[in-house]
Amino acid sequence: MNAYEETVLQNLSEEIPADFSKATPKEVYMAVSKAVMKQIFSTWQTKSERKKACYFSAEFLLGRVIHSNLLNMGLLEETENLLRQHKIDPKVFEKVEDDALGNGGLGRLAACFLDSGATLGISLNGYGIRYRYGLFRQTFSYGEQKEEADDWLAFGDPWSVRRENERVRVDFGEESVWAVPYDMPVIGYGGKTINTLRLWQSEPLHPFDFELFNEQKYEEAVAEKNAAERISNVLYPNDDTDEGKSLRLKQQYFFSSASLQSILREFKKSYANDFKKLPEQYAIQLNDTHPVVSIPELLRLLIAGENLSFSEAFSIVQQVFSYTNHTIMAEALEKWDVSLFCTVLPQVYPYVVMLQNRLRHEIGSNSQRNPDDYSLIAGGKVHMAKMAVYATHSVNGVAKIHTEILKKKTLKEWYDLYPERFHNVTNGVTQRRWLALCNRELSKFITNRIGNSWITNLSELEKLVPYADDPDSLKQLMQIKKEKKNQLADYVYRKDNFGLNTENIFDVQVKRLHEYKRQLLNAFSILDLYYGLKEGRIKDFYPTTFIFGGKAAPGYDRAKGIIKYINEIANLINYDDAVNRKMQVVFVSNYDVSYAEKLIPAADFSEQISTAGTEASGTSNMKFMMNGAVTLGTYDGANIEIVEQAGEENNYIFGARVEELEALGENYHPRIFYEREPRIRRVMDSLVNGTVTDGGSGVFQELYRSILDGASWHRADYYYLLLDFLPYCETRLRANQDYLRDRTKFTRKCLLNIAHAGVFSSDRTVSQYAKEIWYL
Ligand SMILES: *Cc1c(COP(=O)(O)O)cnc(C)c1O
């Protein structure tokens, strides 16, 4: 037995001396995690002398870290064997809380990047907030979403180290708090590089006021503590609006300022006050606008704190920072009311004004530009995305089409001014989690054929191409898919008490609920299929299980209405004996990273059906591709690059393209589609004619009206559901019939998708950032 195994058993015997097989999941989890922490301790302490990249992000959606840490340390199989020897189920860690310190794609991307950075041997460290409660836990009651607090600390936090002596003070207009860092190791594959994810927790300067307590003012005695803790209390369950404004701005400043202070403190240990060297030592990536307040804050720290001139400080700031844009949704380009900004951050606002003055001066001397187009402070608001473009050296979009839209529309004036600043860096995902860990059967299949170097070099997958014509390989691939469906069925049965028919095609749409992602279009098309099958219009059809998963922001009523509608449609279909042998529909609850790891490997079809031009990139589309699902999707985000790689003939692409929607302009009249096409009218009317009911809330009527008449700021059918409806139904049926008629030919498509997934590794993405943006 080696030292690691001894430590695990030693830790276990401290928790439960007699019989290890009786240990609780938490006890096993603690014993193993602490043994790994001991193992990595000395490697983790060595400080890098090279230039460091810092990833500032309001979210890190890590998912469960124990499996990936064990895999990357090369301890996964050894640990599982050890547990088996002591009669402990090696799947025990699946009972441990998934941690959810992120909303969805943006936070998961940050987690994939950290894994890739450490694996590439780059010094890439994450900085964010240690929320007490992550994204809410979702349940359904009568088909409606209910939210519960996500208590991720219930299983302890063996992976974090509290660094009390590295705390820093953060000041707001009306209060001051300590930011206390909790550091988590980020272990690269092979265990050679161990980076750090530093998450800040907000704590009071004075936890308790004895005087007030003695005066029996109990509430007031802990008021400061409560106010401070509020700052890192919850993750905003909304990744695209600026709700809870004051607290949200406080959160953003809290982790931005704390991270910058700790970076400067470390810098000064080696370089004293030679701040010109800062850009040689640090590159800071701003993940969306959430950390953009870092820009005026670093100016402030350098000017007020270190006596630099504005022009010296500006030059440093611009070299250090770069910015990633994640969305073109107008409501997500953050703006803060000047009055709010001044109340929360009075000491920072003057630096925003200095930036604005510098910009005005620059534009004023350029006669071809209209100063009104370039204002960081306009209409009584501070524009964070504009600030990010102006004061950094790089702005990037996250897929080719997205970057083009940024250049041509969203940030057009800025692209005209600074074309050299704009880059595209298409997103990626880590194949360690999204293939090696979540689909060990497929991993073995791949490794048996081409060796295991794909784990750190995903383009190796190209070597699978010849196997597309090997009948034996295709047969094995089908068997693996079946096995993953069986495993998923067990999981869904346990979690959601629903029986999946594993003989069926699995057609999966899992992602946050949003109108632009068009889960409602999927539901309409399922209802249309149902009528078609029931009434004999559709004859050839391979039985299909339609699976949905995803959370709606608690204040987003229409998205919650869509969940309710899908659950109602599911009931209608699942209980109809005339069709339920041909189709079933289920909405799984609490979609998170762990659920994704079960769902994605079992999917035949990956639903990626956002309105063209709305999904910046998408990353679940890449996870599905790697696991051998074909994409049923629109010309949007990274879907376009996926079919560029894998071939349009191996995927199913439909619907209006961005240029077509642009050309259509004001001439789109959804009501004409509604009136002309009975199938459209029928599914639309199901919202209001009693086919299904919303329980009296009126939300179905609201959805109906939003499509036919428009509602609030949306014009009618803002996301073109009715325009794309028939092409979607046709393409979906064609895909089904391809599967029905020739399974081998269909499986060939799956294999070719896997073989061409190489560029969608976040290893490629992070290497590109390192070279083109961070100059590591
Ligand atoms: C990958 C992932 C996402 C992003 O999904 P998209 O379909 O790209 O929006 C969201 N949530 C979880 C849990 C994920 O793993």
Side-chain angles (χ1 to χ4, degrees):
M1 200 178 330
N2 62 33
Y4 164 72
E5 294 182 357
E6 269 170 27
T7 315
V8 172
L9 296 181
Q10 173 65 28
N11 290 348
L12 259 182
S13 62
E14 280 165 18
E15 304 266 2
I16 177 154
D19 179 357
F20 290 170
S21 70
K22 295 211 170 62
T24 64
K26 183 173 175 178
E27 286 162 343
V28 182
Y29 175 60
M30 282 294 172
V32 172
S33 309
K34 285 179 183 165
V36 176
M37 285 296 263
K38 189 170 170 192
Q39 184 99 345
I40 65 174
F41 196 73
S42 60
T43 319
W44 193 15
Q45 296 314 306
T46 46
K47 288 271 176 270
S48 168
E49 294 303 314
R50 291 168 301 157
K51 182 169 179 180
K52 291 164 268 294
C54 308
Y55 201 77
F56 281 20
S57 179
E59 305 178 17
F60 288 89
L61 186 52
L62 300 175
R64 213 173 267 135
V65 295
I66 185 157
H67 293 121
S68 63
N69 283 347
L70 288 172
L71 176 82
N72 288 357
M73 287 300 294
L75 293 171
L76 186 60
E77 290 191 9
E78 182 180 342
T79 305
E80 288 176 348
N81 290 335
L82 184 71
L83 296 180
R84 267 190 220 100
Q85 277 165 30
H86 292 85
K87 308 215 160 35
I88 300 169
D89 179 4
K91 287 209 170 87
V92 59
F93 304 128
E94 292 194 3
K95 302 220 168 62
V96 173
E97 253 351 275
D98 186 347
D99 87 289
L101 302 187
N103 275 291
L106 175 144
R108 184 52 233 175
L109 185 77
C112 283
F113 282 7
L114 293 186
D115 183 82
S116 287
T119 297
L120 291 164
I122 293 170
S123 176
L124 170 61
N125 301 305
Y127 293 82
I129 299 176
R130 187 173 192 261
Y131 300 103
R132 176 63 188 84
Y133 297 101
L135 186 58
F136 65 88
R137 172 174 296 283
Q138 177 196 54
T139 60
F140 297 130
S141 159
Y142 300 99
E144 283 172 25
Q145 170 175 296
K146 300 288 170 223
E147 300 101 25
E148 290 167 15
D150 160 60
D151 186 9
W152 68 279
L153 284 173
F155 271 80
D157 184 16
W159 299 103
S160 293
V161 177
R162 179 181 168 101
R163 305 235 189 253
E164 189 75 39
N165 57 357
E166 294 186 42
R167 71 183 187 182
V168 298
R169 195 181 135 135
V170 177
D171 299 317
F172 303 95
E174 283 150 7
E175 66 184 309
S176 297
V177 299
W178 288 124
V180 183
Y182 281 70
D183 286 354
M184 291 178 87
V186 179
I187 304 172
Y189 188 80
K192 283 205 274 297
T193 301
I194 300 179
N195 290 326
T196 300
L197 170 58
R198 171 161 278 197
L199 298 177
W200 299 96
Q201 176 165 296
S202 174
E203 298 183 8
L205 300 187
H206 316 98
F208 189 75
D209 190 323
F210 275 104
E211 253 169 61
L212 286 170
F213 189 79
N214 284 336
E215 291 164 28
Q216 300 184 351
K217 294 178 177 164
Y218 303 124
E219 306 261 303
E220 290 158 56
V222 291
E224 185 185 334
K225 179 168 185 287
N226 291 342
E229 286 173 356
R230 208 170 295 143
I231 292 171
S232 54
N233 201 31
V234 290
L235 164 74
Y236 278 92
N238 213 331
D239 50 3
D240 56 13
T241 67
D242 51 0
E243 269 167 35
K245 291 185 198 311
S246 163
L247 194 50
R248 203 172 162 115
L249 181 57
K250 274 189 192 169
Q251 287 188 330
Q252 297 185 354
Y253 180 70
F254 169 73
F255 87 91
S256 296
S257 177
S259 306
L260 291 170
Q261 289 185 59
S262 93
I263 287 168
L264 286 182
R265 190 188 273 176
E266 190 183 79
F267 173 82
K268 282 159 74 172
K269 278 188 206 152
S270 307
Y271 300 93
N273 291 344
D274 194 3
F275 292 104
K276 275 198 218 55
K277 291 228 165 71
L278 193 68
E280 293 166 21
Q281 281 300 307
Y282 291 93
I284 303 177
Q285 192 69 35
L286 304 171
N287 194 26
D288 214 325
T289 48
H290 314 133
V292 166
V293 70
S294 296
I295 289 172
E297 174 65 0
L298 184 56
L299 285 175
R300 188 185 74 86
L301 291 170
L302 292 175
I303 296 170
E306 307 290 348
N307 295 316
L308 267 64
S309 71
F310 176 76
S311 69
E312 287 169 325
F314 183 84
S315 159
I316 292 168
V317 161
Q318 193 163 37
Q319 293 175 71
V320 164
F321 288 116
S322 45
Y323 158 66
T324 303
N325 175 287
H326 283 273
T327 174
I328 54 162
M329 301 269 141
E331 69 267 32
L333 292 172
E334 278 186 309
K335 304 177 203 54
W336 298 108
D337 278 327
V338 169
S339 58
L340 175 84
F341 201 106
C342 290
T343 309
V344 177
L345 307 172
Q347 77 282 26
V348 182
Y349 188 71
Y351 297 89
V352 178
V353 175
M354 285 181 217
L355 283 169
Q356 165 75 357
N357 289 342
R358 186 183 189 278
L359 171 62
R360 183 159 298 159
H361 188 76
E362 196 177 322
I363 299 297
S365 58
N366 182 337
S367 57
Q368 316 202 320
R369 306 287 166 198
N370 177 0
D372 293 344
D373 289 341
Y374 303 94
S375 215
L376 309 183
I377 308 168
K381 290 180 191 294
V382 183
H383 292 245
M384 304 310 277
K386 294 180 184 178
M387 191 191 298
V389 183
Y390 178 54
T392 65
H393 65 277
S394 166
V395 181
N396 77 284
V398 290
K400 283 183 198 164
I401 183 178
H402 170 58
T403 302
E404 287 309 307
I405 293 173
L406 289 180
K407 293 201 271 194
K408 290 199 188 109
K409 286 173 78 172
T410 321
L411 298 171
K412 181 179 184 309
E413 296 78 22
W414 297 90
Y415 177 63
D416 290 346
L417 201 56
Y418 309 118
E420 72 290 347
R421 275 186 208 174
F422 284 71
H423 301 268
N424 176 60
V425 189
T426 298
N427 283 166
V429 300
T430 166
Q431 68 269 32
R432 267 81 58 192
R433 181 176 292 263
W434 295 109
L435 184 49
L437 272 177
C438 75
N439 201 340
R440 291 215 231 165
E441 296 81 355
L442 182 57
S443 300
K444 199 178 282 169
F445 169 96
I446 296 168
T447 298
N448 281 343
R449 284 164 180 75
I450 64 168
N452 67 2
S453 53
W454 60 270
I455 297 178
T456 49
N457 178 9
L458 200 63
S459 56
E460 285 285 306
L461 291 180
E462 286 286 339
K463 294 186 181 157
L464 286 173
V465 170
Y467 295 96
D469 297 309
D470 171 32
D472 190 52
S473 292
L474 296 178
K475 211 164 125 209
Q476 276 189 46
L477 203 53
M478 286 181 222
Q479 284 163 354
I480 290 168
K481 192 58 83 180
K482 186 71 206 300
E483 168 63 18
K484 299 312 281 184
K485 287 180 186 179
N486 287 334
Q487 292 172 9
L488 175 64
D490 288 346
Y491 194 79
V492 171
Y493 191 74
R494 258 189 292 143
K495 291 271 171 187
D496 287 289
N497 195 28
F498 184 89
L500 301 179
N501 186 345
T502 58
E503 296 299 323
N504 288 4
I505 288 175
F506 281 12
D507 176 311
V508 183
Q509 186 176 22
V510 285
K511 46 187 76 250
R512 286 299 294 271
L513 248 294
H514 206 292
E515 286 163 276
Y516 84 81
K517 292 180 184 273
R518 300 203 293 192
Q519 284 95 347
L520 186 56
L521 175 62
N522 188 351
F524 279 163
S525 151
I526 290 169
L527 188 62
D528 176 68
L529 253 172
Y530 165 75
Y531 291 135
L533 287 170
K534 199 172 161 75
E535 292 159 7
R537 171 167 55 82
I538 298 168
K539 297 212 169 51
D540 296 333
F541 185 74
Y542 197 99
T544 301
T545 297
F546 298 95
I547 304 173
F548 291 86
K551 297 174 185 177
Y556 189 174
D557 290 334
R558 237 181 264 164
K560 289 174 125 177
I562 294 168
I563 292 180
K564 170 73 171 164
Y565 179 74
I566 295 168
N567 277 323
E568 291 303 311
I569 296 289
N571 271 335
L572 177 76
I573 294 171
N574 297 339
Y575 288 106
D576 185 340
D577 289 333
V579 291
N580 60 16
R581 279 183 305 282
K582 293 201 175 133
M583 58 194 294
Q584 49 177 191
V585 184
V586 61
F587 203 124
V588 301
S589 62
N590 203 47
Y591 175 63
D592 60 6
V593 173
S594 297
Y595 224 138
E597 289 170 6
K598 299 285 180 194
L599 286 158
I600 290 170
D604 298 298
F605 290 107
S606 158
E607 295 278 349
Q608 307 298 340
I609 61 174
S610 50
T611 312
T614 60
E615 185 76 89
S617 161
T619 47
S620 79
N621 45 5
M622 303 167 183
K623 302 168 194 164
F624 279 104
M625 181 195 197
M626 251 172 228
N627 283 277
V630 301
T631 300
L632 176 48
T634 46
Y635 287 98
D636 199 22
N639 299 351
I640 297 174
E641 289 160 73
I642 285 175
V643 298
E644 221 172 76
Q645 294 293 320
E648 194 142 344
E649 70 284 4
N650 295 316
N651 290 286
Y652 296 87
I653 303 299
F654 71 93
R657 303 185 185 213
V658 174
E659 308 83 63
E660 292 170 55
L661 297 180
E662 266 166 14
L664 198 53
E666 296 299 304
N667 295 323
Y668 177 54
H669 301 294
R671 200 169 269 282
I672 297 178
F673 287 80
Y674 174 83
E675 276 156 14
R676 274 199 207 139
E677 176 50 56
R679 281 166 61 200
I680 290 181
R681 196 157 59 243
R682 194 168 181 195
V683 295
M684 276 291 291
D685 285 352
S686 74
L687 283 165
V688 291
N689 67 8
T691 306
V692 290
T693 163
D694 62 15
S697 72
V699 66
F700 289 178
Q701 174 81 29
E702 217 274 321
L703 284 169
Y704 178 85
R705 298 259 330 257
S706 80
I707 293 173
L708 286 185
D709 306 329
S712 57
W713 60 279
H714 276 168
R715 61 173 158 61
D717 196 16
Y718 193 73
Y719 294 109
Y720 301 97
L721 275 68
L722 305 195
L723 181 68
D724 281 345
F725 176 80
L726 286 180
Y728 179 43
C729 294
E730 265 167 41
T731 308
R732 183 170 229 181
L733 209 53
R734 179 161 61 80
N736 182 285
Q737 289 171 357
D738 283 354
Y739 188 100
L740 174 75
R741 294 198 183 122
D742 192 340
R743 267 304 285 291
T744 306
K745 200 167 152 199
F746 183 87
T747 308
R748 191 173 181 278
K749 295 180 201 283
C750 302
L751 190 128
L752 289 171
N753 271 283
I754 300 169
H756 294 115
V759 297
F760 301 108
S761 166
S762 47
D763 299 348
R764 188 269 310 151
T765 314
V766 170
S767 312
Q768 227 180 318
Y769 277 98
K771 187 155 165 263
E772 297 166 16
I773 296 174
W774 303 332
Y775 311 122
L776 294 192

